Amino acid sequence: MIRYILRQNNVADSMYYRKWYAYPMVDETIDLAALAKHMEEHNSGFSEAMCLGVMKAMVRCIKEQVLAGKNVKIDDLAIFSVGLKNTVGGANSAEEFTASANISGVKLRARATGILRSSVLNMDATLKKVSASPQPTAEGGV
């Protein structure tokens, strides 16, 4: 179940000022070790240690492959690829472009695929409002 809270947009110059929006509530973030333990508890046939070792190796290999300029697709999870952060303003011409002056960094991109695509998640999601946020009054304020 995806729990959510409501928040009001309080940016005065926004065209959506005072409109209410849902934001997901996250109770915790689990790491690879916790995920490995969870997998073991689902009778995967593999120990927690084996699951953890395989996942750690997978993470290292994904990094290696995307830095080599390849996309890595993990079926029903995501396609991992590299993205470039360009500097603001860009170069005036291709001849003036240099990587050191016009590229400020590299980022990891992940595009959902298979059972994690948005359209599939929309069909499977169950939503529940929680009261961790102030509720609107009859006048629309807090």
Side-chain angles (χ1 to χ4, degrees), residues 22-125:
Y23 291 86
M25 283 284 296
V26 177
D27 295 323
E28 67 178 306
T29 299
I30 64 169
D31 60 10
L32 283 182
L35 184 57
K37 179 72 174 162
H38 178 80
M39 290 170 67
E40 178 189 45
E41 291 169 355
H42 275 272
N43 300 314
S44 66
F46 300 102
S47 69
E48 177 183 347
M50 185 172 284
C51 291
L52 181 59
V54 168
M55 289 189 295
K56 283 185 172 189
M58 182 181 77
V59 169
R60 285 191 306 272
C61 290
I62 289 172
K63 178 183 177 186
E64 178 185 344
Q65 294 300 308
V66 297
L67 289 176
K70 299 177 183 177
N71 289 353
V72 177
K73 180 179 180 181
I74 309 294
D75 294 339
D76 293 322
L77 179 62
I79 300 170
F80 298 94
S81 60
V82 69
L84 298 176
K85 296 183 215 172
N86 289 285
T87 57
V88 177
N92 292 323
S93 68
E95 294 76 27
E96 290 182 24
F97 184 94
T98 64
S100 61
N102 299 103
I103 299 174
S104 63
V106 177
K107 58 187 172 185
L108 178 67
R109 299 185 307 187
R111 237 180 9 231
T113 184
I115 63 172
L116 286 183
R117 286 186 336 263
S118 294
S119 60
V120 176
L121 288 176
N122 284 336
M123 291 185 297
D124 293 341

Side-chain angles (χ1 to χ4, degrees), residues 7-12 14-21:
R7 290 188 188 152
Q8 189 176 36
N9 178 345
N10 292 315
V11 179
S14 169
M15 65 188 283
Y16 303 107
Y17 178 63
R18 299 190 56 83
K19 300 291 183 180
W20 289 86
Y21 296 92

